[in-house]
Each structure stands twice: as structure tokens, then as C-alpha cells.
Amino acid sequence: MDMRVAAVRRDKLKFHLVMLGCAGFVVLALASLVYVCSRPQTADVQASERAAINQCLQRSRAPERTEIYRRAQADSCAEMLEQYEHKFGADDAS
């Protein structure tokens, strides 16, 4: 009987250690995400994002593309522009 109790305790300990490891991983992942998102944006990052939006807009106007492609591309460009304005401010988006 004591062996069964010891086995159950050992299994519970293993379970709790695994859960603690998972919780530690989640905390570490969230902390690294917060770190990456909270870092200040450089002028180079801003310029490259602006260039990506301009390139997107050019592709959305390409006459050799289908209308469906151009419309989908324009929607993507609008989303990129919205995120750019949120990140850098509406004044910098023009």
C-alpha cells in the first residue's frame, strides 16, 4: 500500500514540475515579447517600413495584375499604413 502512495506522490511531483516548467516558458516568452515590442524604433526601421508601404502601393496599381489581386493588395497596403500610423503617428504617414 505504501508503494502505491509513493508512486502517486511521485507522479504528482512530476506533473507539478512539468506544469512549473510550462509556466516558466510562458513567462519567458511573454517577457521577451514585451522587450521586443517596447524597444524604440529607429529612423532606419521607420524608413524601411515606409518603403515597404510604397512598394505595396505600387504593386496594388500594377496593370498587369488581376483586379482581384490589386484589390487584395490594396487592402494589405491599407492595413500596413494603419499599423505604420499607429506606430509612428499619423503625421509621419504622409
Side-chain angles (χ1 to χ4, degrees):
M1 193 68 146
D2 288 331
M3 290 182 65
R4 284 186 184 177
V5 172
V8 168
R9 284 185 181 160
R10 188 172 47 248
D11 289 343
K12 282 186 178 181
L13 179 62
K14 286 181 185 177
F15 172 77
H16 287 110
L17 288 175
V18 168
M19 293 305 291
L20 183 63
C22 291
F25 174 77
V26 168
V27 167
L28 183 64
L30 288 174
S32 53
L33 182 63
V34 166
Y35 171 75
V36 168
C37 291
S38 66
R39 294 180 64 203
Q41 300 295 323
T42 64
D44 290 340
V45 170
Q46 185 175 358
S48 65
E49 288 190 24
R50 184 70 225 178
I53 292 170
N54 289 336
Q55 187 178 24
C56 181
L57 290 170
Q58 286 175 349
R59 278 184 275 157
S60 72
R61 296 180 190 124
E64 67 272 6
R65 304 288 186 166
T66 64
E67 179 62 29
I68 293 171
Y69 175 87
R70 289 193 305 260
R71 203 173 300 144
Q73 190 70 40
D75 290 344
S76 296
C77 298
E79 179 64 30
M80 289 171 68
L81 187 58
E82 183 179 319
Q83 290 180 13
Y84 180 91
E85 289 173 351
H86 178 73
K87 195 185 252 183
F88 300 108
D91 295 337
D92 294 333
S94 311

